[in-house]
Amino acid sequence: MPDFDKTYWEEHWAPTPANAERDLPVHPYLPTETSQLSGGTALDAGCGTGAEAVWLAEQGWLVTGADISATALEAAGHRAERAGLGDRIEWVETDLTQWEPGRSWDLVVTSYAHSEIGQLLLYRQLASLVAPSGTLLIVGHLHEPGTNGGSSTHGDPGHHGAHPEAASVTRDAITQMFDVPGWAIDASYENVRAVRPGGRPVQLRDVVVRAHRNG
């Protein structure tokens, strides 16, 4: 199985001719699932090159973008500056599995992030960073046995290597985590969509869960 450690992610985000076009648009679930929220502070956990963080800043959120890869954060910072939003986003280089920021956020978003501790333990860690009455939005990969898993971060194919199941999660597994006092699930569904990174069509199988923490 792959080790989703710092070395892995630095290699994943290292510029090469094959991945030069990584300035991909925000995924469609973020606008849909945050349209009813009133704004505030937001954490994009595993922000990569910043598509979701920049979009949130454009909507008026004060954003923290956190990622283990310095290479990804450098690209994210350039993206924010080009958009004129450098003063609305704080970038933090950190291992999310060990991070203790000493604060919480009104909205915590994680989109196709993977770690060495596995998906569910990562999501549990991120849930602890949601402020009372705040929201957690999880967008993950749904792998089915016998398929190739379909995708990589934001449609960049192939970063799961030969073991896409290591980066996969199911809707039932996530929702069971939040079937506890203090949390309520607002949305949970699976979806298949097509993206074209570098002009090549790739089918993504996604699982989306939005939950809120009771105040």
Side-chain angles (χ1 to χ4, degrees), residues 131-162:
S133 302
T135 295
L136 174 64
L137 175 61
I138 295 169
V139 180
H141 293 300
L142 177 65
H143 169 67
E144 289 188 347
T147 72
N148 63 4
S151 66
S152 165
T153 303
H154 300 83
D156 176 18
H159 88 278
H160 300 162

Side-chain angles (χ1 to χ4, degrees), residues 101-121:
R103 58 173 294 196
S104 57
W105 286 263
D106 300 313
L107 171 65
V108 175
V109 175
T110 183
S111 308
Y112 310 112
H114 319 306
S115 75
E116 294 182 289
I117 63 174
Q119 297 305 106
L120 295 181
L121 288 177

Side-chain angles (χ1 to χ4, degrees), residues 22-183:
R22 275 190 162 159
D23 208 11
L24 298 171
V26 62
H27 65 68
Y29 311 113
L30 188 60
T32 298
E33 298 300 331
T34 63
S35 62
Q36 76 288 351
L37 303 180
S38 57
T41 59
L43 168 65
D44 185 3
C47 64
T49 56
E52 282 66 47
V54 169
W55 185 89
L56 286 165
E58 289 173 339
Q59 311 312 306
W61 294 84
L62 291 174
V63 182
T64 301
D67 202 279
I68 198 170
S69 169
T71 301
L73 290 172
E74 182 179 7
H78 291 322
R79 184 174 192 154
E81 292 297 331
R82 291 196 302 270
L85 296 165
D87 60 343
R88 295 193 64 85
I89 308 176
E90 171 193 16
W91 304 107
V92 178
E93 182 183 342
T94 186
D95 181 343
L96 292 170
T97 67
Q98 302 178 29
W99 192 31
E100 297 181 1
R103 58 173 294 196
S104 57
W105 286 263
D106 300 313
L107 171 65
V108 175
V109 175
T110 183
S111 308
Y112 310 112
H114 319 306
S115 75
E116 294 182 289
I117 63 174
Q119 297 305 106
L120 295 181
L121 288 177
L122 173 63
Y123 299 153
R124 197 177 302 278
Q125 169 73 5
L126 297 181
S128 72
L129 304 180
V130 179
S133 302
T135 295
L136 174 64
L137 175 61
I138 295 169
V139 180
H141 293 300
L142 177 65
H143 169 67
E144 289 188 347
T147 72
N148 63 4
S151 66
S152 165
T153 303
H154 300 83
D156 176 18
H159 88 278
H160 300 162
H163 301 286
E165 67 277 9
S168 183
V169 70
T170 66
R171 179 178 58 175
D172 287 347
I174 300 173
T175 56
Q176 287 174 12
M177 289 179 53
F178 297 100
D179 187 17
V180 294
W183 284 91

